[in-house]
Amino acid sequence: MTKSNESDARGLKSVERSFEIIEYLRSVSGATLSEAADDLGMAVSTAHIHLTTLVDTGYVVKDDDIYRCGFEFLHTGGQRRDGLALYQAAKPELDELRDETGEHTNVTVQERGYSVQLYKSENPDSIDDDASLGDHFYLHLTATGKAILAELSDERVDEILDRRGMPALTDETITDEDALYDELEAIRERGYSINNGEHFPGVCAIGTAIVSEPDGAIGAISISGPRSRITTDRIEDELAPALLNKKNIIELKIRQFE
């Protein structure tokens, strides 16, 4: 290896280490220098260099002896979200759908084989999995995720499942590939997906993909709430028609942005 390649390798490793520290601080909601070094198996001097650099960039803040992730991440993520045509088109429609149904409504995007929470319009009288903005979910166990998978080719679905796996979060989670493919075919036929306690016990959701030409499925929207209220009859008679109507409106609005 040349000196240049050695330098590049060290630089990339340093970047990976910095992001490892960021993920650690996010997971523990803050830590001292010694705590971070011990938990990450790093020399204190090395951890100090990384943390000092991250503080200088604004992505980590130091309060007394505690290091925490800074709000610069909120600024970065917020700018990206606010610039998406999907978000601009979906937000007012989901707020209206929340009022119509009395349940939470959501919009997600697919990134790196995950479903990412982009926006949630919450009704105080409903409940769901309490997902936060930016949370990542496996595609095979959420309504929005399965709706997106149903729009993809079998080859692309295989790639995602090979990369991310099919872990079970509840007793209802689909963990068999053949069963998932049967479910995806049913979603294609009826136009919407159902998550019946597969991601969070006692919570049900229905979802449908948002499709934009020529990009295909750019995300998905859903209605979620307690299993006792998201019944089969209510889905068929009220929720699915309302959700599919919003899908059509959002897709038409996105075309105006393009």
Side-chain angles (χ1 to χ4, degrees), residues 44 82 95 181 185 248:
V44 171
D82 293 350
D95 290 342
Y181 275 108
E185 186 58 36
N248 292 334

Side-chain angles (χ1 to χ4, degrees), residues 6-258:
E6 289 175 350
S7 177
D8 290 344
R10 285 196 299 270
L12 290 173
K13 190 65 177 178
S14 178
V15 172
E16 290 175 356
R17 204 61 163 152
S18 290
F19 276 103
E20 183 181 352
I21 292 172
I22 288 170
E23 286 297 313
Y24 165 76
L25 293 178
R26 182 182 62 82
S27 67
V28 299
S29 299
T32 64
L33 171 60
S34 60
E35 288 171 341
D38 288 344
D39 291 344
L40 292 169
M42 300 172 63
V44 171
S45 59
T46 302
H48 183 262
I49 291 171
H50 283 281
L51 286 168
T52 300
T53 302
L54 290 168
V55 168
D56 289 343
T57 65
Y59 284 94
V60 168
V61 295
K62 184 181 180 184
D63 297 320
D64 295 327
D65 292 330
I66 304 296
Y67 293 90
R68 295 185 175 88
C69 290
F71 288 115
E72 192 66 32
F73 289 103
L74 180 62
H75 180 232
T76 301
Q79 274 195 330
R80 185 182 177 200
R81 183 192 71 167
D82 293 350
L84 290 177
L86 173 61
Y87 172 74
Q88 296 175 38
K91 183 181 183 300
E93 302 303 328
L94 292 178
D95 290 342
E96 187 174 281
L97 186 60
R98 172 206 60 202
D99 294 339
E100 291 175 2
T101 63
E103 309 295 352
H104 294 332
T105 59
N106 313 268
V107 59
T108 69
V109 292
Q110 187 274 132
E111 186 174 74
R112 299 184 300 113
Y114 290 113
S115 178
V116 183
Q117 183 86 6
L118 197 65
Y119 175 70
K120 177 191 291 187
S121 188
E122 298 184 82
N123 187 303
D125 296 324
S126 185
I127 63 168
D128 67 356
D129 55 10
D130 290 328
S132 300
L133 176 65
D135 276 357
H136 287 52
F137 312 108
Y138 292 99
L139 293 173
H140 71 286
L141 48 69
T142 62
T144 54
K146 289 193 289 183
I148 291 171
L149 286 176
E151 293 291 330
L152 304 179
S153 67
D154 288 351
E155 291 76 17
R156 178 61 180 140
V157 174
D158 284 340
E159 289 176 6
I160 291 172
L161 297 182
D162 288 343
R163 184 179 184 187
R164 299 303 177 195
M166 296 180 64
L169 295 189
T170 76
D171 293 340
E172 306 296 330
T173 303
I174 298 174
T175 57
D176 178 77
E177 286 193 18
D178 290 337
L180 177 62
Y181 275 108
D182 289 343
E183 176 74 7
L184 297 183
E185 186 58 36
I187 293 168
R188 295 180 186 115
E189 291 178 0
R190 66 176 176 245
Y192 61 90
S193 61
I194 300 174
N195 159 23
N196 202 359
E198 298 160 49
H199 178 242
F200 195 85
V203 171
C204 184
I206 64 168
T208 189
I210 302 298
V211 179
S212 174
E213 298 295 342
D215 301 316
I218 59 173
I221 58 173
S222 68
I223 301 170
S224 57
R227 207 168 183 176
S228 59
R229 292 213 302 253
I230 312 295
T231 62
T232 299
D233 288 344
R234 190 181 179 210
I235 289 173
E236 294 177 353
D237 296 340
E238 175 195 351
L239 299 181
L243 185 73
L244 295 176
N245 178 57
K246 290 302 184 185
K247 165 189 169 71
N248 292 334
I249 293 173
I250 292 168
E251 288 177 347
L252 286 171
K253 290 172 68 175
I254 288 174
R255 289 176 195 164
Q256 296 174 1
F257 289 111
E258 294 174 342

